[in-house]
Amino acid sequence: MTAPRPYTLVAELTYRCPLQCVYCSNPLELARHRSEIDAATWVRVIGEAEALGVVQLNLTGGEPLLRTDLETIAAGARRHQMYTNLITSGVPLSRERLVALKDAGIDAIQLSVQDATREGSERIAGVDWWREKLEAARLVAEVGLPLTLNVVLHRENLGRVDRLIELAEQMGAHRLELANTQYLGWALANRARLLPTRSQLDRARDLADKARDRLRGRMEVLFVLPDYYAGFPRACMDGWARRFIVVAPDGLALPCHEAHTLPGFRFPNVRDESLEVAWNDSEAFRRFRGEEWMPEPCKSCDKRHIDFGGCRCQAFHLAGDAALTDPACRFSPHHGIVEKAREDAETESTAAYKYRSLRVVT
């Protein structure tokens, strides 16, 4: 099978972060992932991505601002003609740093906000950086970079979607992403506290729809349903190893952020192999690419060209096998796992949050 052309490189520059968000997609065993590749390696990888056809670069983490060589990496991206997004919590950020990053090659900023209130933000992030986030948004507008505001939605903040929309307007955001939690990583560990009810979702989606119409032409508003309520899975990362390449802080090349959690896979490392070899020749990248691997009911489903069987990591973490149909699909033999989670969400959990930390979460 000829490998498709990728268009986005997701560069996870570090797993370090000043926030401890309870839905973070970073590893539950952070202490085992402290190694980070250097700026020269990142610039080489970006060049290899360009040769593969990649045109967009997402610099993310953890918190990429904690990399003191971030400007060097951004400048390398500009030399390779990448459209470069900085995905950040906005902490720590000064005007001088932001100007330097813009001059180096950052084209746009995606800023995360946890809630519409200081108290709610602290409860979800585990720390109080509310004023710093507001200041970061002000600085982005001041230096003239496009701003996307990203809010991960869950039962703690869905009731304030209207206020989150107002906040995005006040910040002058060009785009607002209201993305419901994907229940992997720390979010899966906290699912009992985070998964919303159907009525919460319906009300929030109605508010987002009205805001989309009202703000059309001024601010783009997106509302992404959680897989657990969609009935059909989304094409995770637009399908396994079809359009996205993720490179982890330690250099591991992956088809998605959570692929390293799948047992029995040997993913290549860019310290040892080129991105071209990883993308085209790696057995791990080829394993779920396309449709040949699919079991029933995916194999005969008319949506297989759209969702590609859903999320491989979700299949493993919910049903125990990455080669199964994503349990988020209503036709999956394991869909009962998702239905049970939705039923449990009707009764609010009193379980304590497990905050992102260096300890191993079980």
Side-chain angles (χ1 to χ4, degrees):
M1 176 191 299
T2 301
R5 170 185 166 175
Y7 63 71
T8 298
L9 171 63
V10 180
E12 294 187 297
L13 301 183
T14 182
Y15 286 139
R16 293 174 288 144
C17 186
L19 276 61
Q20 304 166 34
C21 298
V22 295
Y23 50 71
C24 183
S25 63
N26 286 174
L28 298 182
E29 301 172 335
L30 280 171
R32 301 180 187 178
H33 298 272
R34 294 186 176 184
S35 174
E36 296 177 2
I37 57 178
D38 60 20
T41 303
W42 275 117
V43 174
R44 170 178 62 79
V45 168
I46 292 167
E48 293 171 353
E50 180 194 21
L52 282 170
V54 168
V55 296
Q56 178 168 295
L57 173 66
N58 293 337
L59 299 177
T60 183
E63 177 46 65
L65 290 172
L66 296 180
R67 292 280 303 230
T68 58
D69 53 6
L70 181 56
E71 287 85 347
T72 300
I73 297 169
R78 174 168 287 175
R79 289 197 301 273
H80 289 292
Q81 301 180 19
M82 291 285 175
Y83 184 87
T84 303
N85 298 301
L86 178 63
I87 299 174
T88 176
S89 68
V91 181
L93 183 63
S94 66
R95 189 183 191 283
E96 293 73 21
R97 184 92 194 270
L98 185 58
V99 170
L101 288 167
K102 180 182 179 182
D103 291 344
I106 297 300
D107 296 298
I109 302 288
Q110 178 177 302
L111 178 69
S112 67
V113 170
Q114 283 66 43
D115 206 335
T117 68
R118 181 175 184 173
E119 296 75 20
S121 295
E122 182 176 2
R123 186 164 56 251
I124 293 301
V127 288
D128 180 13
W129 292 109
W130 175 250
R131 290 182 179 176
E132 287 79 0
K133 285 179 174 289
L134 296 181
E135 175 65 6
R138 187 190 69 79
L139 291 173
V140 172
E142 185 178 292
V143 304
L145 282 169
L147 173 64
T148 292
L149 194 67
N150 177 265
V151 185
V152 177
L153 296 178
H154 41 78
R155 69 183 304 143
E156 290 268 354
N157 61 12
L158 268 166
R160 288 182 288 279
V161 161
D162 51 349
R163 294 179 64 181
L164 285 163
I165 295 167
E166 290 175 6
L167 180 64
E169 290 183 80
Q170 292 166 10
M171 288 180 168
H174 298 79
R175 177 184 171 99
L176 171 62
E177 295 181 354
L178 298 167
N180 276 275
T181 305
Q182 178 77 359
Y183 291 96
L184 293 167
W186 293 88
L188 183 57
N190 287 298
R191 186 180 65 187
R193 283 287 304 271
L194 294 175
L195 189 67
T197 65
R198 170 69 74 178
S199 60
Q200 287 176 311
L201 274 173
D202 288 346
R203 179 180 179 276
R205 182 164 55 174
D206 181 61
L207 289 170
D209 288 345
K210 290 175 179 175
R212 184 183 301 113
D213 292 339
R214 176 174 61 84
L215 296 169
R216 196 178 305 278
R218 287 189 287 153
M219 181 172 75
E220 184 180 5
V221 179
L222 282 79
F223 186 89
V224 182
L225 273 175
D227 284 357
Y228 281 47
Y229 285 95
F232 295 101
R234 290 190 296 273
C236 182
M237 304 294 284
D238 202 18
W240 178 277
R242 290 187 68 251
R243 293 289 179 261
F244 288 81
I245 311 172
V246 177
V247 177
D250 61 359
L252 210 61
L254 302 164
C256 69
H257 299 79
E258 295 290 323
H260 62 86
T261 65
L262 301 179
F265 283 77
R266 180 199 170 275
F267 291 104
N269 195 298
V270 298
R271 298 178 194 263
D272 310 312
E273 301 179 60
S274 71
L275 208 60
E276 187 273 334
V277 169
W279 182 258
N280 290 319
D281 301 332
S282 166
E283 192 281 331
F285 272 69
R286 296 197 309 266
R287 177 64 180 86
F288 298 119
R289 184 179 274 154
E291 303 171 21
E292 292 301 316
W293 64 273
M294 290 183 179
E296 293 292 355
C298 295
K299 183 174 292 187
S300 57
C301 179
D302 59 6
K303 291 184 178 290
R304 67 185 184 278
H305 311 297
I306 300 171
D307 60 38
F308 298 97
C311 178
R312 300 300 87 227
C313 300
Q314 190 156 265
F316 169 72
H317 287 287
L318 294 188
D321 187 344
L324 294 174
T325 299
D326 186 339
C329 179
R330 67 179 64 172
F331 297 123
S332 165
H334 300 90
H335 188 57
I337 298 169
V338 170
E339 292 178 321
K340 177 64 165 57
R342 290 200 305 256
E343 291 171 7
D344 292 345
E346 295 298 323
T347 302
E348 188 166 359
S349 172
T350 57
Y353 276 131
K354 297 175 182 178
Y355 286 94
R356 179 189 188 272
S357 69
L358 288 174
R359 63 191 177 87
V360 176
V361 172
T362 58

